[in-house]
Amino acid sequence: ESDEFLFVHSGKLVKEKKTSNIFDALRKSDIRCKLIIIGSIPESNRAELERMIKNEERCIYLGWKSSDELRDYLAAADLYLQPGTQSVTMQNALSTGTPILIYPHVSYQVFCNGCEFQVRNSEDIRNVFDMIRENPNILLPKSKSAYSIAREYFDVKRQTKVIYGMVY
């Protein structure tokens, strides 16, 4: 069994995505991991991100992927990293049972049941990386909580029954 973790970060990688905070946290942590980055890099952020990707041997940049391909990476990940702007990809990660690292946006609180690590800056992210390195088992209950959220909010059959008053 590998002691290396798989982290995924995705989207249109504008500055507000806070991708640079992830790299800053990685620089300060000795966690054994692979960071898969999926998405597009806008010109406004290209030079900085390409430099960070090149200088971080644990990072693999895959470019843009289809939603099905992204979902496969989310399902394989130990943790989905979204420390900046909001995205539906966070919900897709939960639906695959993948714990999330998120900025504490008010609109996300309904999805917070222990499946998440809430972070505000690169120091918070580094602290999460170090917690995971010290106790990898911390991810298992977070994964179970992610599945629980997915069942509650994303199960189409259940939602239909709720809408029609036949909740079970």
Side-chain angles (χ1 to χ4, degrees), residues 13-111:
L13 304 173
V14 295
K15 280 202 183 291
E16 295 79 14
K17 239 353 178 180
K18 298 187 180 177
T19 307
S20 61
N21 286 11
I22 296 170
F23 281 102
D24 188 45
L26 278 175
R27 259 194 317 278
K28 295 173 181 171
S29 177
D30 59 356
I31 190 166
R32 289 178 41 87
C33 69
K34 285 288 181 232
L35 169 63
I36 304 287
I37 297 181
I38 297 170
S40 61
I41 302 175
E43 280 307 315
S44 61
N45 211 18
R46 183 170 301 281
E48 180 186 14
L49 278 182
E50 285 181 347
R51 177 183 49 77
M52 287 187 282
I53 290 166
K54 185 174 138 259
N55 291 332
E56 177 52 68
E57 64 185 19
R58 294 171 286 185
C59 179
I60 301 168
Y61 175 62
L62 298 179
W64 195 258
K65 296 288 179 190
S66 72
S67 57
D68 285 344
E69 290 171 307
L70 175 58
R71 188 174 173 83
D72 290 344
Y73 283 99
L74 292 172
D78 293 300
L79 186 65
Y80 176 65
L81 312 179
Q82 192 174 298
T85 55
Q86 300 177 70
S87 168
V88 72
T89 306
M90 177 274 296
Q91 296 166 359
N92 293 336
L94 292 176
S95 71
T96 65
T98 301
I100 55 176
L101 178 147
I102 55 170
Y103 184 88
H105 295 288
V106 172
S107 62
Y108 280 173
Q109 296 313 301
V110 69
F111 301 113

Side-chain angles (χ1 to χ4, degrees), residues 145-161:
S145 294
Y147 278 123
S148 172
I149 283 288
R151 269 192 310 278
E152 184 173 349
Y153 289 98
F154 313 132
D155 183 296
V156 175
K157 278 186 177 176
R158 185 178 190 289
Q159 291 305 316
T160 303
K161 290 180 179 184

